[in-house]
Amino acid sequence: MIQRAFPSYLQKDTTKIIDFLQQNDPKDFKTIGAETVCLNGEFLELPQRVYFGEFNTQSLTLVQEQMLNCLYLCHCNGHLREYYLRELLAVKEDFALPFIAKLFGDYVIEILEVLQRELPNDTRDKLRDFFQANPLYKRRIESRIASYWDLFYQNTYPDLKKYVGYQLFQTIVK
């Protein structure tokens, strides 16, 4: 699964990340589900969820560490997703965009608040282009926003348009 989560020009780095994860967490390392997106004309498959621990990354290059941080944005632990989002917000590499985009449909409101407050303007512009190139994925994220609002936040935000997830997404796609 992870093999197809990054652009082909990062193939060697992707293999290194897979080996790193299998060596450090051979029993618990797994991915669940996949979502197909297009990035710069290349189709990628993002894992819906990943399960592995946190590791010392001294043996990885900066790019490999950033790639691993992207995978943490799919992690089953919301605290880790939020932590590694903050780590990735300064990354200017396009390969991080699909992983950041995925979090617009997250149910953890603290993650949405980080995106709303800290997402750089140039990344917002790139995400706008990304969602325009991925209309089905955009609709899936919109659906998740509405579903999570309905399940978890409707009492706090009786109007969907007042919900942080909705407001944030509208600033990107409009």
Side-chain angles (χ1 to χ4, degrees):
M1 170 59 57
I2 292 173
Q3 197 70 36
R4 295 183 298 275
F6 296 98
S8 57
Y9 74 90
L10 293 169
Q11 192 65 45
K12 288 181 183 177
D13 294 304
T14 304
T15 300
K16 172 69 176 176
I17 296 297
I18 293 169
D19 292 344
F20 176 83
L21 289 170
Q22 289 173 339
Q23 289 171 3
N24 284 286
D25 208 351
K27 291 183 180 178
D28 294 327
F29 166 61
K30 66 179 177 179
T31 64
I32 293 180
E35 298 183 286
T36 302
V37 297
C38 183
L39 179 66
N40 300 326
E42 185 174 354
F43 286 97
L44 308 176
E45 290 184 17
L46 306 182
Q48 286 184 323
R49 281 286 178 252
V50 297
Y51 299 84
F52 51 79
E54 289 186 278
F55 312 106
N56 180 328
T57 57
Q58 287 180 329
S59 66
L60 300 177
T61 67
L62 176 61
V63 168
Q64 291 165 353
E65 187 173 349
Q66 291 170 343
M67 292 169 67
L68 181 61
N69 291 350
C70 286
L71 293 173
Y72 278 115
L73 298 190
C74 303
H75 202 276
C76 61
N77 183 323
H79 294 289
L80 292 180
R81 291 196 305 275
E82 180 182 351
Y83 176 82
Y84 287 100
L85 170 61
R86 291 176 189 277
E87 294 290 308
L88 279 170
L89 285 176
V91 172
K92 302 299 181 196
E93 302 291 339
D94 282 353
F95 66 77
L97 290 174
F99 295 92
I100 294 170
K102 180 178 176 47
L103 292 181
F104 280 79
D106 205 292
Y107 61 90
V108 178
I109 200 163
E110 292 83 359
I111 290 172
L112 300 171
E113 290 169 344
V114 168
L115 284 168
Q116 188 173 46
R117 281 190 318 268
E118 300 177 29
L119 190 65
N121 287 333
D122 59 332
T123 304
R124 288 174 188 263
D125 294 339
K126 289 180 180 182
L127 286 166
R128 183 175 296 114
D129 295 342
F130 174 80
F131 281 119
Q132 286 176 351
N134 291 277
L136 293 175
Y137 192 64
K138 176 185 171 211
R139 281 189 291 236
R140 190 174 305 130
I141 296 297
E142 288 171 328
S143 178
R144 286 181 186 151
I145 290 168
S147 293
Y148 290 136
W149 166 78
D150 185 49
L151 284 171
F152 301 118
Y153 301 108
Q154 193 174 34
N155 290 335
T156 307
Y157 304 96
D159 181 359
L160 170 64
K161 293 180 180 178
K162 304 273 188 210
Y163 171 55
V164 64
Y166 179 87
Q167 291 177 345
L168 170 66
F169 197 63
Q170 293 308 306
T171 66
I172 299 297
V173 299
K174 293 272 173 163

